Amino acid sequence: MFKINTIDGNNRMSTQDLLERINMALAQGETEFHIEAAGQHDIGGPLWHPEGKPLKFYIKNAGQRVGSMCLPGTEIIVEGSVSADVGWLNAGGRIVIKGDGGDTTAHCAAAGTIYVGGRAGTRSGSLMKHDPYYEAPEFWVLKNVGSFAFEFMGGGTAVVCGYDSEQFESVLGDRACTGMVGGIVYFRGAAGGISAKDTKILTLDSEDIAYLDGKMDDFLGAVDRSELRNELTDWRQWQKVVPLAYEERPKKANTNIRDFRTEQWVPGSIFGDVCEDDFAVIGAITTGKYRRRVPVWENGKYSAPCEFNCTASIPSQQRFNLLRDGKIDEAYRLVLKYTPFPGSVCGAVCPNLCMDDCTRKTVDISAQIGKLGQYSGQAELPKAEAKTGKHVAIIGGGAAGLTAAWQLARLGHEVTVFEADEKVGGKMEQVIPRSRLPQQTLSREIARIAEMGVAFKTGVSVDKAKFATIKDSHDAVVIATGAHVTKVIPWPGHERIVKGLDFLKAINQGQKPAIGKRVIVIGCGNSGMDVAVGAYGLGAEQVTCIDVQRPAAFEQEIAHVKALGAEILWPVFTKEVTDEGIITQEGQLIKGDTVIIAIGEAPDLSFIPEGIALERGCLKPDSDNSIAAGIFTAGDTVRPGRLVDAIGAGRQAALAVNAYLGQSSFTPVEKTKIPANRISTAYFKKCHSCDVPEANSDYSRCISCGTCRDCHMCLKSCPENAITRTMGENGVEYTSDPDKCIGCGICAGICPCGVWNMETNAEPTAFYR
């Protein structure tokens, strides 16, 4: 809570200093403000919290323009009265004045709510307006308003309750509603001097009464006058002012505007020396270049949340669209353009970040994207039709290296993978338990890489000399050796610690490392959970997993380990490792016969040529993934991460190598997630978890964010039949005919996928000479 008194002795804080103090507090995360003002202006204006939290102001002795340009999410409560311009240009805030409001209260208000618990002054509610994209503004006054109120009102709702106003001839003052063209003014009591050429006074209908009755409690409660409800809800005392329709307004003599401007006015127009005037009269509804807004079909411009969150950039919405169209094989092949491991990674060990932010979760549960990868096990992509004659070496046969090899082979290059282990696959083969990643799935996907033309040379340890030989015999090299050096902190007794990576590799090779009955695992990431599972599999009776922070492993992995009987403790800070277990910084002994550490790994880059800089033990590539001419890198050698991160990096490295070899240009991937407010989920029926189909049949639930699902809704809804659907080389395409389109925006409003967008018409018009 932020509190401030703006009077210090005989010194008064300036408006500027007060606003700066408020902004500083806001930047630090404050959301509630109690301000003892002394007439300072503009308090509670266009402010927003850095995390989007709602803001609340309690103000005493405020000056002019309280809540001017106030934004949604801001509530302002003022004790007592205020001076002019309360809620000037209010853009969505809730402003409560418990006393009088002063002149021009709610002037130019465009959204939000303004409550006044007393009177409001001259020109209150003038120029109120309503943008149909937002909720209409509301302005309530308990007593009466001054002259010229609601002048040139264009929209919104005003309510003048007329309490304690019997002494006035009009609760709306003199000359109210002059120039009014929109909105509605409800009033209780006498009213005279209302512009008859612009408005008419009507009695209330049932909808009017329902509105007033529904809002009255909120208003009276806000201004602390709930006891007046019965007195103010005798609807026989109420009337309303509405603007005359165009047909009802007095008409002047019919004059042809073109003739007047060309024959009676200044010849050539008053600005004829500088303007090319076509003398056209532009109607409120028009087509062509005079439309205020134009529709743009932005199919594929934005990434769906699933594609945006996936570090391999797999466009799963396109896979579901292909399945929806019955193009089953094409859907299963599509993922292979981004990863050679749809079953091993996407369908087995990936945390499936694609599903975390799936728009479908706002309806029921995410589309079944992860499991969809399992259906691409038998899919194949054709080999390159022509070879480039270029030879590329990949050092390291893990996720990043094999992905780079797969992509480069598809592009027609000769690719050889050099792997130090007897099998390729990296941590997928050597470390991840078979229970999480079936051997059959991985073997099948590695075989598919070989069938694409990639050569594997296993059991090859690369040192500086070997690297030089490989570099000299290939046109480009990709370093993707991963991170296989287990990090060990040099606590006293650290020599007793078993390295987690070595432990898991031994298990996957069919060995049975010796462990005690009580095992302590340092590190509660996914590797730590794999170690715990492996320890139980080797006969451990009790496993205790410790970490200095909240466990970073996936929830399902933690649940699995706990189900086996493991205990997870955090935060625990190790001080010493003994033959009895671990002694913590607090002096506690955690008993254990075997201590295994799994807090991360670092790459072994001892073979890197001289002159290539390292940063924190890793390589630091340029934006094109290169670290030197013809040498590229990807995966854990740059930054340890998840398998899907390595796959995305491997693909980018392959594209960079292809560009280096003169086959194309390379631009790093830059994704923009489609704004959530462009997606319309109202068209999708909620289902229960028991109704969710198999992944390859889940296309009806996929919303296809940012990508046209060819539903025809825009085509059928366009009132002017301006939209045309065609089939081209890249699939379906929708276009809007500018000679028919009136820029109404129905296409954008009805599109469930957010593909149509309305933009300001930028077509130039010849005007100035």
Side-chain angles (χ1 to χ4, degrees):
M1 181 189 299
F2 175 82
K3 289 186 176 182
I4 189 169
N5 190 327
T6 61
I7 295 292
D8 182 9
N10 294 323
N11 297 319
R12 172 187 177 275
M13 180 181 291
S14 71
T15 292
Q16 181 176 351
D17 288 344
L18 173 59
L19 298 183
E20 286 181 357
R21 291 285 300 276
I22 292 172
N23 280 318
M24 290 172 60
L26 186 61
Q28 294 171 0
E30 291 289 351
T31 60
E32 186 172 318
F33 301 82
H34 292 252
I35 300 172
E36 290 276 355
Q40 289 88 352
H41 299 174
D42 299 295
I43 302 175
L47 302 173
W48 55 90
H49 188 272
E51 297 176 5
K53 295 180 180 179
L55 306 177
K56 199 158 189 175
F57 286 81
Y58 297 91
I59 308 171
K60 293 182 179 179
N61 305 317
Q64 291 180 317
R65 294 188 297 276
V66 172
S68 64
M69 295 185 282
C70 196
L71 297 176
T74 297
E75 181 176 9
I76 299 172
I77 299 174
V78 179
E79 295 291 341
S81 300
V82 297
S83 53
D85 293 334
V86 173
W88 174 70
L89 277 172
N90 185 21
R94 175 183 167 95
I95 304 170
V96 178
I97 310 297
K98 294 191 177 181
D100 295 333
D103 290 344
T104 55
T105 299
H107 179 63
C108 290
T113 301
I114 300 173
Y115 288 158
V116 176
R119 310 186 197 281
T122 300
R123 287 198 163 87
S124 291
S126 60
L127 288 171
M128 283 179 64
K129 49 193 172 288
H130 177 210
D131 186 330
Y133 278 140
Y134 304 93
E135 294 293 329
E138 295 182 285
F139 173 34
W140 285 60
V141 179
L142 180 63
K143 297 182 179 180
N144 63 305
V145 295
S147 298
F148 307 107
F150 314 111
E151 187 178 42
F152 301 113
M153 184 178 181
T157 303
V159 181
V160 179
C161 297
Y163 171 72
D164 187 25
S165 301
E166 294 80 5
Q167 66 272 37
F168 299 102
E169 294 184 4
S170 171
V171 296
L172 299 182
D174 188 32
R175 297 189 63 189
C177 303
T178 299
M180 181 180 181
V181 295
I184 186 169
V185 177
Y186 295 106
F187 67 95
R188 171 181 168 274
I194 298 175
S195 173
K197 68 176 183 179
D198 299 309
T199 63
K200 58 185 175 183
I201 299 176
L202 301 174
T203 56
L204 303 190
D205 58 28
S206 58
E207 291 185 5
D208 299 322
I209 294 173
Y211 166 76
L212 293 170
D213 191 59
K215 296 286 292 189
M216 187 65 74
D217 287 334
D218 184 55
F219 167 60
L220 293 177
V223 298
D224 298 335
R225 300 304 302 268
S226 296
E227 75 278 4
L228 299 179
R229 192 185 205 288
N230 290 337
E231 180 176 346
L232 298 183
T233 52
D234 181 353
W235 307 119
R236 295 169 299 178
Q237 300 176 15
W238 287 81
Q239 299 178 81
K240 64 180 178 181
V241 183
V242 296
L244 293 174
Y246 174 78
E247 295 77 12
E248 299 174 305
R249 293 178 181 267
K251 300 297 189 298
K252 295 182 179 180
N254 187 18
T255 302
N256 184 295
I257 299 298
R258 181 182 181 87
D259 291 344
F260 170 76
R261 293 176 66 188
T262 56
E263 298 175 9
Q264 301 180 39
W265 207 21
V266 178
S269 88
I270 194 171
F271 300 110
D273 57 333
V274 294
C275 298
E276 293 286 353
D277 196 342
D278 61 5
F279 301 104
V281 177
I282 304 171
I285 299 176
T286 186
T287 61
K289 66 181 181 180
Y290 290 119
R291 292 171 295 169
R292 177 171 169 263
R293 300 179 303 155
V294 296
V296 182
W297 196 63
E298 295 181 334
N299 186 38
K301 177 180 178 179
Y302 296 98
S303 297
C306 56
E307 179 184 357
F308 182 82
N309 279 12
C310 174
T311 49
S313 300
I314 300 170
S316 293
Q317 74 279 15
Q318 294 184 22
R319 289 194 282 170
F320 281 123
N321 281 348
L322 290 169
L323 289 170
R324 187 183 300 111
D325 292 341
K327 300 175 181 178
I328 311 300
D329 293 338
E330 189 176 344
Y332 295 161
R333 289 195 302 269
L334 176 62
V335 70
L336 297 181
K337 297 179 180 180
Y338 298 85
T339 173
F341 299 112
S344 300
V345 178
C346 300
V349 298
C350 185
N352 296 133
L353 304 179
C354 52
M355 297 172 61
D356 286 350
D357 196 25
C358 176
T359 304
R360 184 72 204 195
K361 288 180 70 174
T362 64
V363 180
D364 37 52
I365 63 173
S366 170
Q368 303 303 293
I369 303 171
K371 294 180 180 179
L372 191 59
Q374 299 173 358
Y375 293 90
S376 296
Q378 305 299 328
E380 300 286 347
L381 287 181
K383 295 182 179 180
E385 295 181 0
K387 294 292 185 179
T388 64
K390 303 292 184 179
H391 293 74
V392 182
I394 310 292
I395 301 178
L402 292 177
T403 298
W406 166 259
Q407 300 293 353
L408 288 165
R410 289 183 54 235
L411 293 167
H413 304 299
E414 297 292 339
V415 184
T416 302
V417 175
F418 296 89
E419 168 59 45
D421 198 68
E422 294 305 318
K423 289 184 177 182
V424 297
K427 290 180 179 177
M428 293 183 292
E429 168 63 37
Q430 302 167 21
V431 177
I432 297 176
R434 302 297 187 221
S435 58
R436 290 180 59 202
L437 175 50
Q439 181 68 52
Q440 181 181 7
T441 301
L442 180 60
S443 297
R444 183 171 61 241
E445 295 189 328
I446 290 175
R448 181 164 51 196
I449 297 172
E451 291 167 4
M452 186 59 72
V454 177
F456 298 146
K457 291 189 176 183
T458 57
V460 179
S461 296
V462 177
D463 54 17
K464 289 184 183 292
K466 183 65 175 178
F467 181 85
T469 300
I470 293 173
K471 174 68 174 68
D472 291 342
S473 59
H474 292 81
D475 297 295
V477 178
V478 177
I479 298 172
T481 50
H484 290 265
V485 180
T486 299
K487 295 179 180 178
V488 178
I489 298 176
W491 298 295
H494 70 273
E495 64 276 0
R496 295 183 174 90
I497 295 177
V498 176
K499 295 179 179 179
L501 203 61
D502 295 344
F503 177 75
L504 291 172
K505 287 182 177 181
I507 292 176
N508 268 22
Q509 290 170 4
Q511 303 174 22
K512 295 185 177 181
I515 60 171
K517 296 298 183 183
R518 294 175 300 182
V519 176
I520 300 173
V521 181
I522 303 176
C524 293
N526 287 317
S527 294
M529 298 301 102
D530 289 342
V531 169
V533 172
Y536 275 117
L538 293 172
E541 295 178 357
Q542 175 61 44
V543 177
T544 303
C545 302
I546 65 174
D547 208 321
V548 298
Q549 61 184 3
R550 179 184 294 274
F554 307 152
E555 290 184 8
Q556 62 267 32
E557 301 303 323
I558 294 174
H560 181 207
V561 167
K562 285 184 175 180
L564 294 175
E567 184 178 14
I568 296 179
L569 304 176
W570 67 278
V572 176
F573 296 87
T574 299
K575 180 180 180 180
E576 183 180 356
V577 181
T578 71
D579 54 4
E580 292 185 77
I582 284 177
I583 299 176
T584 70
Q585 292 287 356
E586 291 75 24
Q588 177 189 2
L589 172 64
I590 300 176
K591 292 184 178 182
D593 308 311
T594 304
V595 179
I596 307 175
I597 192 167
I599 59 172
E601 298 83 33
D604 178 3
L605 300 173
S606 58
F607 63 91
I608 297 297
E610 300 296 334
I612 296 179
L614 301 181
E615 184 176 65
R616 296 182 179 180
C618 295
L619 296 170
K620 186 180 180 181
D622 291 335
S623 59
D624 65 349
N625 294 78
S626 67
I627 56 174
I631 305 177
F632 299 79
T633 188
D636 288 353
T637 53
V638 178
R639 184 186 302 107
R642 299 159 297 211
L643 290 173
V644 67
D645 302 332
I647 289 170
R651 179 170 180 264
Q652 290 302 297
L655 297 176
V657 170
N658 189 57
Y660 171 77
L661 298 176
Q663 305 301 309
S664 66
S665 60
F666 172 72
T667 303
V669 170
E670 291 187 9
K671 298 182 288 187
T672 303
K673 184 167 67 172
I674 187 167
N677 59 9
R678 289 185 57 164
I679 308 300
S680 299
T681 59
Y683 302 106
F684 297 89
K685 182 181 178 181
K686 184 174 183 177
C687 71
H688 298 287
S689 58
C690 58
D691 299 327
V692 176
E694 293 296 322
N696 64 340
S697 300
D698 209 13
Y699 47 78
S700 62
R701 294 176 62 250
C702 172
I703 294 172
S704 189
C705 309
T707 304
C708 180
R709 61 187 285 145
D710 197 24
C711 63
H712 298 201
M713 291 178 68
C714 59
L715 187 71
K716 296 177 179 178
S717 300
C718 178
E720 304 300 317
N721 293 322
I723 296 177
T724 302
R725 176 186 181 276
T726 57
M727 290 296 296
E729 293 182 1
N730 298 321
V732 69
E733 181 177 354
Y734 286 82
T735 55
S736 177
D737 185 348
D739 293 330
K740 294 181 179 179
C741 173
I742 60 175
C744 64
I746 290 177
C747 53
I750 204 169
C751 177
C753 313
V755 172
W756 283 104
N757 186 32
M758 299 302 295
E759 293 185 353
T760 300
N761 191 352
E763 184 176 352
T765 55
F767 188 66
Y768 293 104
R769 292 187 186 277

